[in-house]
Amino acid sequence: MSSPHHGEGPRPQDPPTEPTQPVPAAPEPRAAASADEQPGASHTQPMPRSPYLPFASLGGDQPQAPSPQPYPAHQQAGQHLAPAQPERPRRGPGWGGALALALVAALVAGGVGGLVGGMADDDGGGPTIVQRVGGSAERPDGSVAAIAADAVPSVVTVRVSGGGGAGTGSGWVYDDRGHIVTNHHVVDAAGDDGRVSIELTDGSRRDAKVVGKDSSYDLAVLKVDPTDLDPLDIGRSGDVAVGDEVVAVGSPLGLGSTVTAGIVSALERPVTAGEAGDESFISAVQTDAAINPGNSGGPLLNGDGDVIGVNTAIAQVPGQQQASGSIGVGFAIPSDVVVRTVDQLIATGRAQHPIIGVSLDRRWDGEGAKVLEDDAAQGGRAVVPDGPADKAGIEAGDVITELDGRRITDLDQLITRIRAKAVGDKVTLTIRRDGKERELTMTLEAAEES
């Protein structure tokens, strides 16, 4: 169809020219989005109250394209319009010719696939949907989705009620005998007469019995019916490096089967948690994977899906009375400590705590950990007679500056590093006495349990 020349009216065979659509006005400038607003959200229309957009609002009618203009949009320099000349009515290629041209263009541009793709979208404005080869549940080995698919069925929600209150935490299947690993502080509220149960991913629940628990390592072991339970594989935390990718699984805020991911942020981070006299001393794996209340007791997994830690604590912002949620600084008990402690709890119901046999001075604000002077120690003896430190030659007032060649900054770091060892391990201590340093070797012994 020929467009009318300048000064001509529409010809009788031409359809009436459609009015052009108005161009929407540009949105008014606005202030920067507040923290409550979602990034990238449109503010030209009021947002719905629900945080989820209704389905209809996601797939509304597409805006219609403007009608073709009857004149060229611009004129090139030096171009002149010829005077109107009478001419015979001409017909365009018609629908048949237009379709043939479209088919040729499709074949030339993209082959048969381009033709099929162009014809499949009748309205010309729909999305392109790509179907994943191999099924929606398959993901590459080592991906977070693949790790989660394997691990989630072996992670449980631990539910506790008793005289100390009620609450939920997390746990995971340790072996094929029905032992579940969790934190001491998760089950401690049950006391001796409370009830402990686990909830599986399918929603079913099983009663659990506390086999053993230890506040110093913040670990506990439960026993349940082992039917259809698959234990998780356990890796060596000693092989973990800062920057390794990790996945945390658990029940934060009671939301079971929750998966978060991050990296190992630091190793051997000294963490002391709990009330005075009932503290947990942990040489922890630090991670930025989101960990919240309720994640406690759940596994921290490496890129192979192996357990390399048990999530146990989150950092608290200074000045707050209580940690409210993840701030990207979470801590896990290293798996090497977990295996050693859990095996002891399963075998005897108790765990051994390695000690060096000294009383430390919490008033000391210098570098290292200072052994109390005898006149300040309980019972008048800062070094336990015939204990590991006494046998190695440590005296009251000595300052311990290194353990196995690594600097000690304060007494909490010394305690957590000692607790990360096993009874019977040999360690080398560097001490400072009268301004001089010396090295001593000692063998760790088990603390006497009261």
Side-chain angles (χ1 to χ4, degrees), residues 256-307:
S257 304
T258 295
V259 177
T260 55
I263 63 169
V264 173
S265 304
L267 296 171
E268 296 186 343
R269 192 68 89 189
V271 174
T272 304
E275 302 296 330
D278 197 29
E279 301 102 328
S280 301
F281 298 95
I282 305 162
S283 183
V285 177
Q286 180 182 328
T287 179
D288 68 347
I291 295 175
N292 290 280
N295 268 120
S296 293
L300 187 68
L301 309 166
N302 63 14
D304 294 325
D306 302 332
V307 178

Side-chain angles (χ1 to χ4, degrees), residues 68-443:
Q69 297 295 321
Y71 299 100
H74 65 279
Q75 180 180 343
Q76 296 182 359
Q79 182 179 3
H80 300 280
L81 292 177
Q85 297 291 337
E87 56 182 79
R88 296 174 59 189
R90 293 184 298 158
R91 298 189 59 184
W95 286 109
L99 179 59
L101 290 174
L103 294 179
V104 171
L107 288 169
V108 172
V112 176
L115 169 63
V116 174
M119 295 182 66
D121 202 4
D122 292 335
D123 60 6
T128 301
I129 300 174
V130 179
Q131 183 171 347
R132 186 182 183 90
V133 177
S136 60
E138 295 183 10
R139 294 294 185 273
D141 291 341
S143 67
V144 173
I147 294 170
D150 290 338
V152 164
S154 299
V155 180
V156 303
T157 299
V158 179
R159 299 188 179 276
V160 178
S161 60
T168 62
S170 305
W172 51 280
V173 182
Y174 183 74
D175 57 26
D176 57 7
R177 294 179 291 166
H179 289 116
I180 305 292
V181 173
T182 186
N183 282 140
H184 171 272
H185 74 260
V186 170
V187 301
D188 191 47
D192 295 329
D193 302 320
R195 182 186 177 192
V196 181
S197 64
I198 67 165
E199 182 176 310
L200 303 177
T201 55
D202 62 2
S204 62
R205 296 190 183 186
R206 300 182 188 183
D207 289 335
K209 174 185 177 182
V210 178
V211 173
K213 56 184 180 179
D214 184 86
S215 61
S216 291
Y217 289 117
D218 197 17
L219 289 169
V221 180
L222 311 177
K223 181 75 183 298
V224 300
D225 177 4
T227 304
D228 296 329
L229 296 183
D230 294 322
L232 292 175
D233 292 331
I234 303 174
R236 291 195 65 253
S237 55
D239 295 336
V240 175
V242 173
D244 283 350
E245 295 180 346
V246 290
V247 175
V249 187
S251 303
L253 309 179
L255 303 172
S257 304
T258 295
V259 177
T260 55
I263 63 169
V264 173
S265 304
L267 296 171
E268 296 186 343
R269 192 68 89 189
V271 174
T272 304
E275 302 296 330
D278 197 29
E279 301 102 328
S280 301
F281 298 95
I282 305 162
S283 183
V285 177
Q286 180 182 328
T287 179
D288 68 347
I291 295 175
N292 290 280
N295 268 120
S296 293
L300 187 68
L301 309 166
N302 63 14
D304 294 325
D306 302 332
V307 178
I308 51 94
V310 172
N311 302 316
T312 187
I314 55 179
Q316 180 174 321
V317 177
Q320 288 188 355
Q321 296 298 317
Q322 183 176 1
S324 58
S326 173
I327 58 173
V329 184
F331 304 101
I333 307 166
S335 59
D336 294 348
V337 175
V338 172
V339 170
R340 182 171 64 243
T341 305
V342 167
D343 285 347
Q344 292 173 358
L345 292 175
I346 292 174
T348 66
R350 308 179 73 125
Q352 291 183 322
H353 307 141
I355 61 168
I356 61 175
V358 296
S359 295
L360 299 174
D361 188 354
R362 285 203 170 271
R363 299 167 301 177
W364 173 255
D365 59 1
E367 186 178 355
K370 183 178 180 179
V371 180
L372 278 171
E373 300 288 350
D374 279 339
D375 58 2
Q378 186 176 4
R381 300 296 296 270
V383 180
V384 177
D386 204 32
D390 188 32
K391 294 175 184 177
I394 291 181
E395 299 177 2
D398 286 349
V399 177
I400 302 171
T401 59
E402 292 183 2
L403 172 65
D404 289 338
R406 301 180 60 198
R407 179 171 296 181
I408 296 296
T409 58
D410 55 34
L411 83 168
D412 284 338
Q413 188 175 61
L414 175 63
I415 295 172
T416 56
R417 286 188 181 174
I418 291 294
R419 289 288 172 90
K421 303 286 185 179
V423 173
D425 283 352
K426 290 184 180 296
V427 298
T428 300
L429 294 179
T430 300
I431 66 165
R432 187 171 63 245
R433 181 188 302 162
D434 299 329
K436 298 180 181 180
E437 289 191 343
R438 64 186 69 187
E439 284 189 357
L440 304 172
T441 301
M442 72 173 64
T443 301

